[in-house]
Amino acid sequence: MTAAARARLLAELRRFDQAEAELRLGLLTRPGDPDLLALLAAVLRLNGRPADGLAAAEAAIEAGPGSAGAHAERAENLIALSRGSEAIQAASEAARLRPAEPEVHRVLARAHAASRDFRRARGAAREALALDARSVPSLLTLAEVERVSGRRRAAARATRAALAEDPENPGGRWLIALLNAERLHVGEAMRGLRELAADHPDRLRAEALAWPILGVLAGLQRGLAVGVPLTFAVRLAAPWWSLAGLFAQAIALVVAVVMVSFTGRVLLPAGRLPWRCLALLPRGTVITGLVAAGASVALLVWYGVSTRLPALVLAAVAVLILCVSGVFRVRVTSLNPG
């Protein structure tokens, strides 16, 4: 078995450090091999080291300028580094070099999606499907483009088509769970994630299973960051507007009720699993966020029934703590089991 074959097998098992070691051993005897360098770039990217992966991909291009795989891998690493325009150029070059290869069109679709050009991203994904209409990776690429662009029904159709070809595909099952989560079908999303975690325990990180908590914190952060300053602004208008105090109380109570309703709608159907996964997350940040969010909502209720300005001031302080304690967002690119 060659070094490349061993590295691919190890990468499929998510043993990226060992895959990297195999490739570096292979490069000792074939230092200018563009295929080995491109594969090394992929392994480094999958191991969370896109900057190192980019360097390896550029070395692969220098060794073999006509290697479409090297240009495609350079694009993948540029996407991971949020350098969208450069990623499009690299992926376009890969597609020019190998126009009949669906993978290069999938990379180009991801590059356009990273730059928020969903029309071109959709076109590139459909180009990949034109080459192989039943390709599961191409269908899932189209599904992800549609999901990120906000077309969830189209994303669900493409995902179901992929699962019709491969019912156990972890990427398709992940996307279905994610689409359910985005529609706040929390029970269905958690069932799908539990089953996926049981089948692929090495691929699903704790953040994915704890998404209801992280999602609630992200929602509370956004809602309170708007609601509390708005309440404050209306309250400060009291010297010039006689009804300002009453309106500020009403806003405070409405914001509090909306935040509590949203929290209950997400966390109650989620069950106990997200809380069990909390131990695997940065607990200090999450607990600080939960305490700050809860305190802010309680202080808004206190202000709404008492009109005491110190309660509103303390609510603003709690929101500030919530905002600086961390960004509570689940990124699909980091959690997709692929």
Side-chain angles (χ1 to χ4, degrees):
M1 186 181 289
T2 65
R6 286 194 297 272
R8 287 192 180 93
L9 179 59
L10 289 166
E12 288 175 6
L13 297 172
R14 307 186 76 81
R15 292 158 63 178
F16 299 119
D17 291 338
Q18 291 174 267
E20 179 186 352
E22 285 287 345
L23 289 167
R24 293 198 183 279
L25 281 173
L27 286 166
L28 290 176
T29 56
R30 297 160 60 191
D33 188 311
D35 293 332
L36 284 180
L37 287 165
L39 185 53
L40 176 62
V43 168
L44 291 169
R45 171 176 55 82
L46 292 170
N47 202 21
R49 295 162 57 191
D52 293 336
L54 178 60
E58 290 176 343
I61 291 170
E62 185 176 353
S67 170
H71 287 281
E73 191 49 51
R74 180 172 183 266
E76 293 279 30
N77 280 281
L78 287 166
I79 292 168
L81 292 168
S82 300
R83 292 162 60 177
S85 60
E86 295 175 77
I88 291 170
Q89 292 174 3
S92 297
E93 179 63 13
R96 184 189 70 79
L97 289 167
R98 201 182 296 167
E101 174 58 53
E103 171 57 22
V104 298
H105 295 287
R106 293 195 291 267
V107 176
L108 182 56
R110 289 191 286 271
H112 281 304
S115 296
R116 313 295 293 178
D117 188 343
F118 298 118
R119 182 181 65 80
R120 285 191 172 91
R122 197 174 292 115
R126 293 193 182 283
E127 185 69 28
L129 282 167
L131 295 168
D132 183 357
R134 300 177 65 179
S135 166
V136 172
S138 297
L139 286 165
L140 292 179
T141 298
L142 177 61
E144 180 59 18
V145 168
E146 299 289 23
R147 186 193 72 80
V148 176
S149 68
R151 298 174 56 177
R152 294 194 181 106
R153 289 184 181 178
R157 283 196 300 271
T159 306
R160 284 195 294 269
L163 289 172
E165 299 293 334
D166 181 6
E168 297 303 314
N169 183 273
R173 292 165 66 189
W174 162 261
L175 269 175
I176 289 293
L178 185 62
L179 289 165
N180 281 328
E182 290 177 343
R183 291 193 293 261
L184 288 185
H185 298 168
V186 180
E188 294 176 46
M190 290 305 298
R191 273 195 302 275
L193 288 174
R194 277 195 299 269
E195 293 169 1
L196 187 54
D199 293 340
H200 301 277
D202 59 329
R203 294 193 174 194
L204 209 61
R205 289 161 46 185
E207 292 96 322
L209 297 173
W211 75 263
I213 297 173
L214 301 179
V216 161
L217 282 171
L220 291 175
Q221 181 176 291
R222 289 191 294 268
L224 291 169
V226 173
V228 172
L230 177 61
T231 305
F232 227 119
V234 174
R235 173 64 177 79
L236 292 175
W240 304 279
W241 183 26
S242 60
L243 295 177
L246 185 61
F247 270 92
Q249 286 179 268
I251 292 170
L253 291 172
V254 168
V255 170
V257 169
V258 169
M259 294 296 98
V260 170
S261 299
F262 166 71
T263 301
R265 184 179 178 186
V266 175
L267 292 185
L268 290 177
R272 292 177 292 178
L273 182 59
W275 300 101
R276 291 174 182 167
C277 294
L278 192 60
L280 303 175
L281 299 178
R283 295 182 67 184
T285 298
V286 176
I287 291 172
T288 299
L290 288 169
V291 170
S296 181
V297 171
L299 288 163
L300 280 176
V301 173
W302 182 22
Y303 172 77
V305 299
S306 70
T307 71
R308 298 191 177 213
L309 189 57
L312 194 53
V313 172
L314 290 172
V317 172
V319 170
L320 182 61
I321 293 171
L322 175 63
C323 290
V324 301
S325 63
V327 178
F328 309 102
R329 185 171 298 169
V330 178
R331 291 183 179 274
V332 64
T333 54
S334 65
L335 301 177
N336 192 334

